[in-house]
Amino acid sequence: TCLVQQVETNFDTDIFMPIISATETFAKVSYKQYPMAYRVIADHIRTVTFALSDGALFANEGRGYVLRRILRRAVRYGIKIGISGSFMYRLVDVVADAMEEFYPYLQDKTTLVAKLVKAEEERFHATLQDGENLLHNVLSKLEGKVLDGKTIFKLYDTYGFPIDLTGLMAREAGWAVDMEGFARGLEAQKARSRQDAVVETSDWIRSEERLNSSHITIS
């Protein structure tokens, strides 16, 4: 396609350029100034649009978590090129129009997909703002240049701030991150969850035993 259309990259073909051009209308930095950001956004909104149209959903685990991370990565690049607020959902129609000849079913899903994307964007912006404020506050009080694992885990566990973004933002500010400390905190949480599951099961078994040993007749 690049050869036929005489362009340098896949992203400069008519497969991606409609998405890139639409993104430029929201941004303060042009495609020529920061091509990588536009290419990430164009690629990721295509992925999300197709996946949601095929029945996937955003989630905290499995493929839904992969989709969530993909969307959030694109949103972060949107912020880098000066886009404020939700915008990815506005690109769903652009993707559907660009791919309509071979994937006409996308047109039937655009309203639902755009709604899901917008809700996820808004959720992420709220999380991002709260997490960024907390992270900057923490960094301003710490001594040295290492963000400790306990704080990283608190951002992740209490505030739902993505671990990859914590690492990215800390490194951008010149801080190292204690990922080993975070891993220990995560493993401790998993151990507590496993213990809670055992306790719940034991309580259920004891309740069942009491019921079976009683003289109550259940009809």
Side-chain angles (χ1 to χ4, degrees):
T1 306
C2 290
L3 292 173
V4 171
Q5 297 185 11
Q6 298 183 351
V7 293
E8 293 183 1
T9 74
N10 293 341
F11 294 99
D12 298 308
T13 66
D14 60 6
I15 298 173
F16 287 95
M17 280 309 297
I19 307 171
I20 290 172
S21 296
T23 304
E24 273 194 305
T25 64
F26 310 130
K28 296 179 181 179
V29 177
S30 70
Y31 175 47
K32 289 184 178 180
Q33 290 175 295
Y34 199 167
M36 181 180 176
Y38 281 91
R39 291 170 181 176
V40 168
I41 290 168
D43 176 79
H44 288 10
I45 191 58
R46 276 164 42 96
T47 300
V48 169
T49 298
F50 271 93
L52 295 178
S53 295
D54 289 339
L57 292 171
F58 297 111
N60 289 326
E61 57 185 11
R63 67 177 183 176
Y65 181 63
V66 175
L67 282 180
R68 175 163 286 168
R69 290 190 64 178
I70 287 172
L71 181 71
R72 290 181 171 189
R73 183 168 184 258
V75 171
R76 281 280 293 172
Y77 272 101
I79 294 172
K80 288 179 178 291
I81 57 176
I83 301 177
S84 59
S86 302
F87 73 98
M88 291 283 285
Y89 76 97
R90 298 183 181 182
L91 301 175
V92 172
D93 282 330
V94 182
V95 173
D97 290 343
M99 307 303 295
E100 183 176 17
E101 183 176 356
F102 298 100
Y103 301 94
Y105 76 94
L106 293 177
Q107 293 290 352
D108 299 329
K109 308 286 187 176
T110 54
T111 300
L112 173 61
V113 171
K115 182 179 180 180
L116 292 171
V117 171
K118 184 179 181 181
E120 186 64 24
E121 281 189 272
E122 291 175 345
R123 186 180 298 112
F124 179 53
H125 277 293
T127 297
L128 194 62
Q129 187 61 55
D130 292 342
E132 284 185 343
N133 290 341
L134 181 61
L135 181 57
H136 288 311
N137 184 50
V138 168
L139 293 178
S140 68
K141 295 178 180 179
L142 289 178
E143 296 182 0
K145 277 292 183 179
V146 178
L147 180 61
D148 62 280
K150 183 178 179 180
T151 300
I152 298 171
F153 182 76
K154 182 179 179 180
L155 284 166
Y156 170 81
D157 186 51
T158 305
Y159 297 93
F161 199 65
I163 180 61
D164 53 331
L165 287 183
T166 298
L168 177 63
M169 291 171 58
R171 292 186 183 97
E172 286 178 348
W175 289 73
V177 290
D178 177 20
M179 294 307 299
E180 291 184 0
F182 168 78
R184 288 193 295 270
L186 186 61
E187 185 56 38
Q189 182 201 51
K190 289 180 179 179
R192 288 193 298 271
S193 296
R194 286 193 293 267
Q195 183 60 37
D196 290 343
V198 170
V199 171
E200 289 177 4
T201 301
S202 300
D203 287 345
W204 181 84
I205 291 173
R206 286 195 293 270
S207 297
E208 189 74 7
E209 289 174 346
R210 286 195 297 271
L211 179 62
N212 291 335
S213 64
S214 70
H215 299 290
I216 299 174
T217 300
I218 301 177
S219 59

